[in-house]
Amino acid sequence: AVFCRLACGDVEGRLEAIFGRVRAIQAKSGRFDMLLCVGNFFGSTSEAEWAEYRTGAKKAPIPTYVLGANNQDTLSYFPDVSGCELAENITYLGRRGVYSGCSGLQIAYLSGTEAQQQPAPAHSFSAKDVAELKTALLSTPNFRGVDILLTSPWPRDVGTFANSAGEIDTKKCGSKLVSDLAASLKPRYHFAALEKAYYERLPYRNHMVLQETPQHVTRFIALADVGNTSKKKYLYAFSIVPMSSMDPAELVKQPQDVTENPYRKLRKEAPKSKAPLCAEEEPACQFFFDLNKHQGKKRPSDGKERGDSQPKQAKKPPQPTGPCWFCLASPEVEKHLVVSIGTHCYLALAKGGLSPDHVLILPIGHYQSVVDLSSDVLEEVTKYKAALKEFFRSKGKRYVLFERNYRSQHLQLQVIPVPLDLCTSEDIKEAFITQAQEQQIELLEIPEHSDIAQVAQPGTPYFYVELDTGEKLFHRIRGRFPLQFGRCV
């Protein structure tokens, strides 16, 4: 069966406003099964309105489930930490746990905000609360995830790899413990509030491509406060079939706009994942086999054992040691994203594009970086760049191109167009240099007509930026390097 649910942000005691809105929606769209409230259900002005519901003079129009207090002031409204009925049709879920109705839908919940001190105040949760909730669920046989997760705080870093959260800085706001919980429980929907903002994040993966069996995606939705004057969305309607009664193949279908998991860095024990047609991280140690010269001898990707006696034109690309997402002959290539195929290169839409016209220039053969390319491949790359410059200029845009030859297996030239009236090439250059300085990355300017091969030897890890004016910036990677640096800028 399909169940129609409503989720709502901070009510702040505005009971007439939220229940009036629910009645109007039900009159127009039909009956919903329940209302799930995250954030502050009660506020400083709750008492008068609440008294009518508590005494039974008024009744909620729909079974309503709420989270507990987020501050000392509203603790008195929640008499039993294990959950209880507060009024007819209004139920407090409890401090933490799992609610499973007769529908088979699993709703995990965690009340309060992250404790900043020990022992945790009654309106806060601690690492112990999160660990116990995780253990209770993860120990269930064949656990695949929960249908819904309800928390009041946002998870920290939820915006990583995703669409912008507007004014909310997801690197500073929210709770790391909630991120950890979401990473482990793999909810299909995760609702949160408290920031007085609406943010529907692109869905993210719960598995590592090529390394784990495909799993369902998670949709994170933050909701604003009820009746806010900015008219930000505070009520969200959704239909859901319980995971337990879904066809497994249907459950794990990946939407077009799916992104990497924002909490991946929390999973330090797991290997890093790869993403098709998107500049993501690859395993740290890549080896290629040059069978022509040293039969069966491994060559590390730093290129120290490379023989350079052959002329560049005669060099054949090494073969990948495993499945490669970008070799055009590979069955792993998502060919519906390919835009154009040349003799030596092809053009494809980026799967995790920063904009709808974010494209990649890729060699058809297996080359690791621009400095590894033979002269005929390089010539065609240059032609593609010139064609893209002309095309984007005709659309009122300029492009910025970057390459990260570090923890990557196949050369990907990321080409991102930016509207001409939004920023000048100087602005773009300054943005890269400023961000680099902040992260103590030395980004040097290369003379306009020089070739990158003049400053980097094959096998050298580097990050490289090129503007459509011909200006170039280069960083020789000597230690660690932030894999998403180009995308972040």
Side-chain angles (χ1 to χ4, degrees):
V2 178
F3 295 91
C4 300
R5 303 286 154 101
L6 289 168
C8 153
D10 306 271
V11 176
E12 299 278 6
R14 301 183 190 100
L15 304 178
E16 288 300 289
I18 184 59
F19 291 141
R21 184 87 183 100
V22 169
R23 284 187 191 98
I25 287 173
Q26 295 208 122
K28 186 179 176 182
S29 309
R31 182 143 190 86
F32 284 80
D33 298 292
M34 61 168 66
L35 171 66
L36 303 168
C37 299
V38 291
N40 296 316
F41 186 70
F42 294 105
S44 53
T45 57
S46 297
E47 197 45 52
E49 281 191 42
W50 177 237
E52 295 185 289
Y53 287 89
R54 194 185 66 241
T55 58
K58 287 185 178 176
K59 177 186 166 184
I62 184 174
T64 301
Y65 295 86
V66 309
L67 293 181
N70 296 300
N71 52 58
Q72 195 68 36
D73 300 342
T74 54
L75 264 178
S76 57
Y77 288 100
F78 303 97
D80 185 347
V81 292
S82 58
C84 57
E85 188 179 74
L86 301 177
E88 189 178 355
N89 252 5
I90 301 176
T91 303
Y92 163 45
L93 286 165
R95 187 184 178 97
R96 64 169 190 273
V98 182
Y99 173 83
S100 298
C102 53
S103 65
L105 205 67
Q106 268 203 320
I107 303 171
Y109 56 88
L110 180 67
S111 288
T113 54
E114 184 174 331
Q116 302 303 311
Q117 72 229 44
Q118 291 301 330
H123 58 82
S124 295
F125 56 82
S126 64
K128 184 170 178 280
D129 290 309
V130 170
E132 286 177 6
L133 180 52
K134 279 167 57 177
T135 304
L137 279 158
L138 298 177
S139 59
T140 358
N142 306 317
F143 176 76
R144 289 183 295 174
V146 295
D147 291 298
I148 299 168
L149 173 62
L150 305 177
T151 63
S152 286
W154 290 29
R156 179 74 58 87
D157 288 327
V158 69
T160 306
F161 308 126
N163 47 319
S164 166
E167 294 173 7
I168 307 297
D169 183 350
T170 59
K171 292 189 183 307
K172 293 178 182 170
C173 120
S175 159
K176 287 184 180 177
L177 288 177
V178 170
S179 303
D180 177 41
L181 186 65
S184 299
L185 298 194
K186 301 176 181 143
R188 290 162 66 205
Y189 283 91
H190 179 182
F191 294 99
L194 294 184
E195 300 297 332
K196 301 193 182 305
Y198 168 66
Y199 175 49
E200 184 166 358
R201 189 203 186 279
L202 290 172
Y204 64 80
R205 290 187 190 94
N206 281 300
H207 67 278
M208 287 182 285
V209 177
L210 288 184
Q211 296 180 30
E212 293 178 336
T213 309
Q215 296 182 50
H216 58 272
V217 300
T218 294
R219 289 174 165 82
F220 171 77
I221 295 131
L223 294 162
D225 48 322
V226 170
N228 66 85
T229 51
S230 312
K231 299 195 172 173
K232 293 174 184 168
K233 189 167 181 172
Y234 62 81
L235 197 59
Y236 186 93
F238 64 109
S239 299
I240 187 167
V241 176
M243 193 187 299
S244 55
S245 51
M246 277 188 78
D247 172 59
E250 193 65 30
L251 178 66
V252 302
K253 273 189 178 173
Q254 305 291 297
Q256 279 293 316
D257 54 356
V258 67
T259 77
E260 285 300 320
N261 192 307
Y263 319 123
R264 194 170 47 187
K265 65 182 180 185
L266 292 168
R267 303 169 66 183
K268 288 177 183 171
E269 73 285 354
K272 299 291 184 187
S273 72
K274 289 188 275 187
L277 296 182
C278 177
E280 299 299 351
E281 49 203 271
E282 308 256 343
C285 190
Q286 290 286 339
F287 289 97
F288 300 95
F289 293 83
D290 186 348
L291 299 180
N292 298 324
K293 303 188 76 179
H294 310 287
Q295 189 68 28
K297 187 175 183 183
K298 280 187 192 176
R299 174 174 68 78
S301 59
D302 64 11
K304 284 175 186 168
E305 296 178 24
R306 180 190 171 80
D308 281 319
S309 55
Q310 285 181 292
K312 215 171 183 188
Q313 291 87 328
K315 184 179 65 170
K316 289 184 180 178
Q319 295 307 301
T321 57
C324 176
W325 285 109
F326 304 107
C327 288
L328 195 57
S330 167
E332 309 296 337
V333 167
E334 302 212 15
K335 292 187 171 65
H336 66 283
L337 296 173
V338 174
V339 176
S340 157
I341 302 175
T343 311
H344 306 287
C345 303
Y346 71 101
L347 194 70
L349 286 170
K351 186 164 185 180
L354 292 167
S355 63
D357 43 9
H358 174 176
V359 292
L360 309 181
I361 303 172
L362 304 125
I364 290 170
H366 191 77
Y367 293 91
Q368 187 172 343
S369 73
V370 163
V371 297
D372 286 310
L373 296 180
S374 60
S375 56
D376 46 3
V377 184
L378 196 56
E379 185 183 347
E380 195 166 279
V381 166
T382 307
K383 284 181 180 176
Y384 264 118
K385 286 196 282 192
L388 285 171
K389 176 180 177 177
E390 190 179 337
F391 169 69
F392 286 132
R393 286 291 171 121
S394 75
K395 301 291 180 189
K397 298 178 182 182
R398 60 164 47 88
Y399 76 62
V400 55
L401 174 150
F402 63 84
E403 178 199 358
R404 188 196 76 228
N405 180 32
Y406 170 72
R407 291 174 71 177
S408 58
Q409 189 181 358
H410 189 115
L411 164 63
Q412 304 154 52
L413 293 177
Q414 306 281 332
V415 185
I416 297 106
V418 180
L420 284 165
D421 56 3
L422 190 66
C423 51
T424 65
S425 58
E426 277 304 307
D427 292 332
I428 296 171
K429 196 160 71 169
E430 191 179 322
F432 271 98
I433 291 167
T434 304
Q435 289 288 327
Q437 285 171 344
E438 282 181 14
Q439 299 191 45
Q440 296 176 317
I441 294 166
E442 187 184 28
L443 210 50
L444 304 172
E445 193 155 357
I446 304 173
E448 203 170 309
H449 300 291
S450 65
D451 184 350
I452 187 171
Q454 293 170 252
V455 291
Q457 293 298 311
T460 301
Y462 62 81
F463 177 80
Y464 166 69
V465 183
E466 184 178 318
L467 306 182
D468 67 357
T469 54
E471 295 165 282
K472 303 179 183 82
L473 300 169
F474 175 84
H475 169 65
R476 163 76 169 88
I477 299 172
R478 289 188 165 81
R480 291 187 63 77
F481 183 78
L483 296 170
Q484 302 302 324
F485 177 70
R487 292 173 69 85
C488 289
V489 175

